Amino acid sequence: MSEENENINEDLNPEEDNFSEETHSEENATFEGEHFYDNEENNPEDTITKVTGMYKDWFLDYASYVILERAVPAIEDGFKPVQRRIMHSMKELDDGRYNKVANVVGHTMQYHPHGDASIGDAMVQIGQKDLLIDCQGNWGNILTGDGAAASRYIEARISKFGLEVLYSPKITEWGVSYDGRRAEPINLPVKFPLLLAQGGEGIAVGLSTKLLPHNFNELIDASIKILKGKPFTLFPDFPTAGIADVSNYNDGMRGGRVRVRAKISQLDKQTLVITQIPFSTNTSTLIDSILKANDKGKIKIKKIEDNTAAEVEILIHLPPGVSPDKTIDALYAFTACETSIAPLGCVIQNHKPLFIGVSDMLKISTNRTVDLLRQELEIQLQELETKWHFSTLEKIFIREEMYIDFKLYSDKESLFEYMYKRFEPFRKQLMRDIIDEDLQKLTQIPMIRITRFDSDKADELIAKLEDEMAQVKHHLENLIDFAIDYFAKLKEKYGKGRERQTEIRNFDTIEATKVVLRNTKLYVNREEGFIGTGLKKDEYVADCSDIDDVIVFLRDGKMMISKVDEKKFVGKDIIHVAVFDKNDKRTIYNMIYRDGKSGSSFIKRFNVSGVTRDKAYDLTQEKPGSMVLYFSHNPNGEAEVVTILLRQVGSVKKLKWDVDFADIAIKGRASKGNTVSKYPIKKIELKEKGISTLRPRKIWFDDTVQRLNVDGRGELLGEFRPNDRLLIINQSGKLKTIIPELTTHFEEDMIILEKWHPKKPVSAIYYDGEKERYFIKRFLVENENKEEIFISEHEKSQLEIVSTDWRPVAEIVFAKNKGIQKENQTIDMEQFIAVKGIKALGNQLTTDKLKQVNLLEPLPYEEPIEVIPEEIEVNPDSGEEGTDLTDYNISLDDDGQITLTLE
């Protein structure tokens, strides 16, 4: 429980909360409905006492106390009472030096009627937010979760920022402390959106609040936009950094949701590194969640190293053969590397809870800051006017030598009457009427000051005061501009080093079934009709996880999808069983079946998606006696050629012919299919394995989530067959090609991502750190299975430009040399250098120093046209019947190829 709740047990102390002893007497008493009676007598009619009113009043009083005085911050200054009292105590103790936290806690107890532990915890949490308190000593670590040292060992003082924005005693509204002995601020005059900068949470009785922290500079920028009448947006920024998806932030109100992820990157093929963690976690809880996921078999890791100090560094070592990309997704899916935070904007305003969004909170805070600045200016103007008034009186008093006749007056009344008469001619020179207090101060001026009075200096002082008053009046007349300037100065003085830490990015949705480690094995007993992970004596099917689904096909044409279990009956005579992926539309099932009523045989091709678990689907015409004669499953839509052999029946002449599944359209699973033969089939033999009949898969790259997809989001990379690859080039000079998988993670410095053409050269200009020269090179990717670096590996080497155009053109801009500026030079990279090996140094571009290198429009080039064979597009929703295969004439041509022609 956080500092907002302090120690809830203290609230239950009857002495502290003034509970009556009557409520705690009668140890054996019992509440029943609205009645109270003694258990010893067991007779409610004798001792009935209604407590409804007392319970209602006392409970509401207690709930109100916890809500208003402990758990929920005030919107005026962003503080809960304990926080406000801590900062007030620190101001009272402030002398510019550090104070022991224990001393501050003890001083705060004069204002806060609770234990020192709750005050100390609250102070540590304020200090860890690194805004209001200048900390010295071990204050704990929000990254590792380590606690602070004991309050007697650590020290604190108010930060310069805190001194500037928190305090202004002259405009502070004061109240009385709980014991009536001291004055304490009702609200501090905070001139900054402190609540949104620090965030806060608390749990009260029947109510809670959770306000996420926001960026210091962004809050100031948004406040300035409010004052200028411009639109603005606010998103949280967390001290633990990480990556946040704020698409459903909902302005920080109830119903919103923020997803936060750790920043995970691939150090090498067998090592992942976590450098930032999600808000509300620490390295200890994060590592514990990873170890638990490993123990449960959700992920597979070799070991974890925690090297966290000032910055987070958690190394995750993977066993050989484990995919780093899938492991990253699995970490997000099954561990605390991704957390979901539900904000809830609730504050106290006018002694009542108020549910409000962060935008409205900022508007209220900004307007309050303007009002506080106005009050300070008005007080400043009043003080300047008072000072000017007395300085003018003093000047007239001394110049007119009014003090000489003081000895003639023996009492104050006659003296003041004399002075009023003497000042009467000068009344028009004054800003206000003279009062007795003014005259009293004049009579107390020391004689040495009168004798040394300098009229010229007095005039300078009055003129200076008039200038200052004019400036203050100008600020009051242009209050909004003054407030804007105030916020701008705050940002200039304190905004450095407070840049945004959390990266804002939309997240893709990770499906657990696609990234979970398949840590168990699936078995099948085909004859008896059982599947499960516990049938270890039966036939092995595949590796699976406990959250997978299994698809089963039976000889009678039934199909069922069921969740993995230890042992489950699905139906006898199983012909196919596999782990099922409901989003896989590229797996095509080829089937020939016999209809139980007519005896005719039909052929069909279909895929499976969108089914109800544990429901039996009939893939035939639902006639008794129907049977599957041939079945195959094809991950890439392969279409084989089979030989049909008929039984000798009557005068049937054609007893044997070949059927190519490529001639059959892919339709829905409920499709009847095309007729193969009206006569009984004796046997079906596989003649030739098929190749994929599906169109190449289109793949897009969504830059907002940095992921590949097949849903049309982002930039189209091209159409990919099973062996096609992606080319990835990074700013660091690294290059690799990969098979496009939707789970692939990309590095932040990636500059080129496109479909790889093996014969297309890569052109680059880079600076060689060792030779201190610029070089140009062109090369082909030589090893498609290896990541390579194509610039020199010196630490000062850097890539200037890289292009995958066929005929790239570059422009080099020279730096001035002794005041001489050479003209820019255009380089035809194809003509400048021939294609060489990837490890070649390349040709020297120039010996002159360059200012920059620009990539221009490439020269025209016609790419070779790729011949694509005719392919079939999946149409899973089609249920139409196809052409009857018996309507074809089947013959062999001179080359022995099978041809089918309609009769």
Side-chain angles (χ1 to χ4, degrees), residues 48-156:
I48 294 177
T49 304
K50 292 197 174 184
V51 298
T52 306
M54 291 186 293
Y55 177 79
K56 179 180 178 181
D57 293 341
W58 291 345
F59 182 79
L60 286 179
D61 287 345
Y62 170 68
S64 299
Y65 168 74
V66 175
I67 292 171
L68 300 177
E69 296 296 329
R70 302 193 64 169
V72 184
I75 195 170
E76 288 82 5
D77 58 5
F79 285 125
K80 299 175 185 180
V82 63
Q83 298 170 331
R84 186 181 301 113
R85 288 160 180 163
I86 288 170
M87 299 311 301
H88 174 59
S89 295
M90 291 189 70
K91 178 61 176 174
E92 288 189 325
L93 295 172
D94 182 54
D95 58 0
R97 297 179 295 176
Y98 288 99
N99 285 290
K100 288 284 186 183
V101 170
N103 292 340
V104 178
V105 171
H107 193 275
T108 305
M109 290 179 70
Q110 299 177 94
Y111 302 101
H112 195 62
H114 297 284
D116 59 338
S118 61
I119 298 173
D121 291 344
M123 187 171 177
V124 167
Q125 291 200 19
I126 297 173
Q128 287 179 341
K129 291 172 181 175
D130 191 27
L131 195 59
L132 301 180
I133 297 179
D134 184 3
C135 304
Q136 183 166 278
N138 177 16
W139 282 66
N141 190 329
I142 60 172
L143 299 178
T144 62
D146 294 334
S151 58
R152 61 185 179 274
Y153 298 126
I154 56 179
E155 298 178 324

Side-chain angles (χ1 to χ4, degrees), residues 14-30:
E15 296 179 2
E16 184 175 286
D17 285 325
N18 298 320
F19 277 83
S20 169
E21 291 183 2
E22 295 175 4
T23 62
H24 300 278
S25 61
E26 302 289 343
E27 293 184 359
N28 297 319
T30 306

Side-chain angles (χ1 to χ4, degrees), residues 334 510-516 518 545 547-549 580-581:
F334 302 115
I510 297 174
E511 295 186 26
T513 55
K514 291 189 176 180
V515 298
V516 66
R518 291 180 169 170
S545 71
I547 64 173
D548 277 332
D549 287 320
F580 177 66
D581 180 3

Side-chain angles (χ1 to χ4, degrees), residues 143-209:
L143 299 178
T144 62
D146 294 334
S151 58
R152 61 185 179 274
Y153 298 126
I154 56 179
E155 298 178 324
R157 65 183 177 188
I158 305 171
S159 67
K160 292 181 180 179
F161 172 77
L163 288 170
E164 182 163 344
V165 303
L166 290 190
Y167 306 103
S168 187
K170 294 174 183 177
I171 61 172
T172 301
E173 186 178 357
W174 297 90
V176 181
S177 63
Y178 73 96
D179 60 2
R181 288 187 172 93
R182 291 177 174 269
E184 66 172 332
I186 296 174
N187 288 300
L188 288 173
V190 178
K191 301 184 291 294
F192 178 78
L194 187 65
L195 180 58
L196 295 176
Q198 292 192 131
E201 60 181 297
I203 302 173
V205 180
L207 184 146
S208 65
T209 183

Side-chain angles (χ1 to χ4, degrees), residues 68 111 290 324 606 712 870:
L68 300 177
Y111 302 101
I290 295 173
F606 60 93
E870 184 178 352

Side-chain angles (χ1 to χ4, degrees), residues 138-408:
N138 177 16
W139 282 66
N141 190 329
I142 60 172
L143 299 178
T144 62
D146 294 334
S151 58
R152 61 185 179 274
Y153 298 126
I154 56 179
E155 298 178 324
R157 65 183 177 188
I158 305 171
S159 67
K160 292 181 180 179
F161 172 77
L163 288 170
E164 182 163 344
V165 303
L166 290 190
Y167 306 103
S168 187
K170 294 174 183 177
I171 61 172
T172 301
E173 186 178 357
W174 297 90
V176 181
S177 63
Y178 73 96
D179 60 2
R181 288 187 172 93
R182 291 177 174 269
E184 66 172 332
I186 296 174
N187 288 300
L188 288 173
V190 178
K191 301 184 291 294
F192 178 78
L194 187 65
L195 180 58
L196 295 176
Q198 292 192 131
E201 60 181 297
I203 302 173
V205 180
L207 184 146
S208 65
T209 183
K210 191 175 186 69
L211 299 168
L212 304 183
H214 295 72
N215 182 261
F216 181 93
N217 293 324
E218 291 176 7
L219 286 172
I220 291 178
D221 292 340
S223 292
I224 292 174
K225 288 181 180 178
I226 289 172
L227 296 175
K228 291 182 177 180
K230 296 181 179 180
F232 67 96
T233 55
L234 278 181
F235 296 123
D237 183 28
F238 304 115
T240 55
I243 311 166
D245 184 343
V246 296
S247 56
N248 193 29
Y249 184 42
N250 194 31
D251 203 35
M253 298 183 69
R254 185 194 303 272
R257 185 75 58 173
V258 177
R259 296 166 61 195
V260 190
R261 286 181 177 177
K263 192 168 187 179
I264 310 175
S265 57
Q266 185 176 339
L267 197 61
D268 53 51
K269 290 184 178 180
Q270 302 302 132
T271 311
L272 302 177
V273 57
I274 299 176
T275 53
Q276 297 174 9
I277 61 177
F279 182 65
S280 75
T281 66
N282 54 59
T283 55
S284 299
T285 58
L286 194 68
I287 291 173
D288 287 344
S289 70
I290 295 173
L291 294 175
K292 287 180 181 178
N294 181 65
D295 293 340
K296 292 179 179 179
K298 303 293 186 184
I299 60 175
K300 192 172 185 181
I301 63 173
K302 188 176 180 181
K303 66 175 181 177
I304 295 182
E305 292 182 50
D306 186 5
N307 299 329
T308 302
E311 296 181 353
V312 173
E313 184 181 295
I314 301 174
L315 299 179
I316 303 176
H317 299 276
L318 306 179
V322 174
S323 166
D325 288 324
K326 286 188 176 181
T327 303
I328 292 175
D329 282 348
L331 288 170
Y332 289 142
F334 302 115
T335 74
C337 289
E338 178 178 328
T339 61
S340 183
I341 304 171
L344 177 56
C346 179
V347 293
I348 299 299
Q349 185 181 47
N350 297 326
H351 303 288
K352 294 180 181 179
L354 172 67
F355 292 91
I356 188 173
V358 296
S359 297
D360 289 334
M361 285 187 204
L362 184 62
K363 290 177 182 177
I364 292 173
S365 173
T366 303
N367 293 332
R368 175 174 164 80
T369 298
V370 173
D371 185 61
L372 293 173
L373 291 172
R374 177 189 58 77
Q375 293 181 48
E376 288 183 340
L377 288 171
E378 288 175 347
I379 291 175
Q380 183 182 0
L381 179 61
Q382 184 180 359
E383 291 174 344
L384 288 170
E385 288 176 346
T386 300
K387 193 173 183 180
W388 180 93
H389 177 76
F390 184 76
S391 297
T392 304
L393 284 178
E394 184 184 48
K395 174 185 173 183
I396 297 171
F397 174 76
I398 297 175
R399 185 186 62 191
E400 298 297 325
E401 297 182 344
M402 295 181 186
Y403 53 86
I404 293 178
D405 294 331
F406 277 9
K407 61 184 177 179
L408 301 176

